Amino acid sequence: MHGMRGAVPRALAAAARASAVLLGAALLAAGCSSGDGGADGDGERGGAGAPINQRPRAADPFWVDPDSRAARQVAAYAKAGRKADAEQIRKIAEQPTGEWIGPENPEQEARGFTEAADKADRTALLVLYDIPHRDCGQYSRGGAADGDAYRAWIDGVARGIGDRAATVVLEPDAVLHLVDGCTPPQFQEERYDLLKGAVATLKALKNTKVYLDAGNAGWGHPDQIFEPLGRAGMDRADGFAVNVSNFYSTRQSVEYGKQLSRRTGGKHFVVDTSRNGNGPYTDGDPSERWCNPPGRALGEAPTTRTADPLVDAYLWVKRPGESDGTCKGGPGAGDWWETYALELARATG
């Protein structure tokens, strides 16, 4: 409803991909292409056929998936001789993006991604999006069948992560839809309990950071959400996430986050900068401006070196190039849309 995520179709195949990613990471670790550098045959970094490498750890400790959809698109374009397009998509493929854990094999997926990240000496960025009655029946509707199923799913994710390093963005829109009334009253108390339990389970892990989703700069006011965040377990979380899958500028998002931080005891936060390079879309139907808006651009690259001490990181939580839903000519939510990916990349300086 407020920029939902579209991870469902993609998630159905994620378990197999997580295993493939782990195998690929092992092969890369045995060679030289998983280091902080990387070059093509001419010794220049980032040529059309060059491998996808990790970013320098000091500024960006998060894991880059060398077998992401964007990476595969780079390879396909290079093979087809479309070098210019390959270089555009490389802008996406070379950045760490969120791994959205699917509903069927949470333990296997979480283990695959965190083990691959660990082998590269990086931190996995995971997005957990399976709360019951998710997305109010819209493009990304679904979620766990009930509270018990959700608790079992979270337990599976936790077993998969283990002691490896992970940063988790927890349940996009789940608290927001409690505030705006989108979640029916009979499910609200259970949702608070599920979120609070998820935070507790994940924070019991040795090296996992947890950020509760807290909306974006355009949906409302921080006064509306800080108490619900508290009921959802904010006291135990590392902080909150803003602008997930949305387009508000980093400046707008940081200002919103700082206002909310003042109401949550100084909690830190992370900002999704994946597609906010040109700010929000302001034309068309206001209720769907978040859904595959034209003319957008990639935002700041993921990093822990931010402009404000309250901002722990700029992250690409949403995976650029994946559709928000079947709007404006897009494919299903979460499906790769190479035309849109190219538009995002080309609009980025």
Side-chain angles (χ1 to χ4, degrees):
M1 183 172 189
H2 296 282
M4 239 325 88
R5 323 307 181 198
V8 181
R10 174 185 172 276
L12 297 178
R17 196 176 74 81
S19 297
V21 161
L22 179 56
L23 176 60
L27 293 174
L28 287 170
C32 62
S33 61
S34 63
D36 288 341
D40 61 15
D42 297 322
E44 294 181 358
R45 189 181 185 283
I52 302 301
N53 301 293
Q54 304 304 316
R55 309 300 293 175
R57 196 181 193 287
D60 183 1
F62 301 102
W63 177 65
V64 176
D65 182 356
D67 191 40
S68 68
R69 287 176 169 181
R72 293 181 185 184
Q73 189 70 72
V74 170
Y77 281 153
K79 184 176 181 180
R82 296 173 60 178
K83 293 185 178 180
D85 289 339
E87 286 305 293
Q88 291 296 336
I89 298 300
R90 182 175 287 278
K91 295 176 184 177
I92 298 173
E94 288 190 331
Q95 301 299 340
T97 56
E99 300 293 347
W100 296 64
I101 302 297
E104 301 300 329
N105 298 286
E107 182 174 352
Q108 180 182 348
E109 290 181 35
R111 179 175 292 110
F113 292 130
T114 56
E115 286 187 356
D118 188 62
K119 286 181 181 296
D121 191 28
R122 297 299 191 275
T123 296
L125 174 61
L126 306 180
V127 188
L128 306 190
Y129 185 48
D130 198 41
I131 201 77
H133 319 292
R134 186 182 62 203
D135 203 31
C136 303
Q138 299 190 79
Y139 292 121
S140 294
R141 60 186 175 272
D146 54 33
D148 288 340
Y150 184 75
R151 294 182 184 94
W153 184 80
I154 288 290
D155 288 343
V157 171
R159 287 193 300 271
I161 295 173
D163 288 344
R164 290 174 292 277
T167 292
V168 173
V169 174
L170 183 62
E171 293 300 341
D173 272 359
V175 177
L176 194 64
H177 284 165
L178 288 166
V179 175
D180 67 12
C182 186
T183 302
Q186 65 267 32
F187 302 131
Q188 292 186 6
E189 287 303 318
E190 179 187 57
R191 176 167 293 190
Y192 280 120
D193 182 68
L194 293 176
L195 291 170
K196 190 172 184 177
V199 172
T201 296
L202 295 166
K203 284 305 301 174
L205 302 176
K206 184 178 180 180
N207 293 303
T208 296
K209 292 184 177 181
V210 180
Y211 295 88
L212 272 166
D213 183 66
N216 57 70
W219 81 272
H221 195 276
D223 284 345
Q224 298 172 263
I225 200 170
F226 78 91
E227 288 184 348
L229 283 170
R231 294 178 64 186
M234 177 58 72
D235 59 328
R236 296 196 63 177
D238 292 273
F240 55 90
V242 300
N243 202 48
V244 172
S245 292
N246 220 297
F247 300 85
Y248 289 92
S249 71
T250 303
R251 180 190 60 78
Q252 291 171 302
S253 298
V254 170
E255 179 55 34
Y256 171 80
K258 290 171 74 172
Q259 292 178 31
L260 183 53
S261 177
R262 289 194 288 269
R263 292 161 175 79
T264 56
K267 282 288 187 178
H268 287 209
F269 59 98
V270 296
V271 179
D272 185 353
T273 60
S274 57
R275 305 180 298 175
N276 74 348
N278 283 342
Y281 186 57
T282 57
D283 295 328
D285 182 352
S287 68
E288 287 205 343
R289 286 174 176 168
W290 57 269
C291 190
N292 299 324
R296 302 308 94 194
L298 304 173
E300 288 95 337
T303 183
T304 53
R305 293 181 178 175
T306 69
D308 194 288
L310 286 173
V311 184
D312 286 345
Y314 301 145
L315 302 174
W316 284 14
V317 182
K318 171 70 178 182
R319 301 170 67 87
E322 293 185 0
S323 177
D324 293 312
T326 53
C327 59
K328 302 181 183 68
D335 287 345
W336 175 255
W337 188 7
E338 67 177 272
T339 301
Y340 197 76
L342 278 170
E343 290 176 358
L344 287 169
R346 287 170 177 162
T348 305

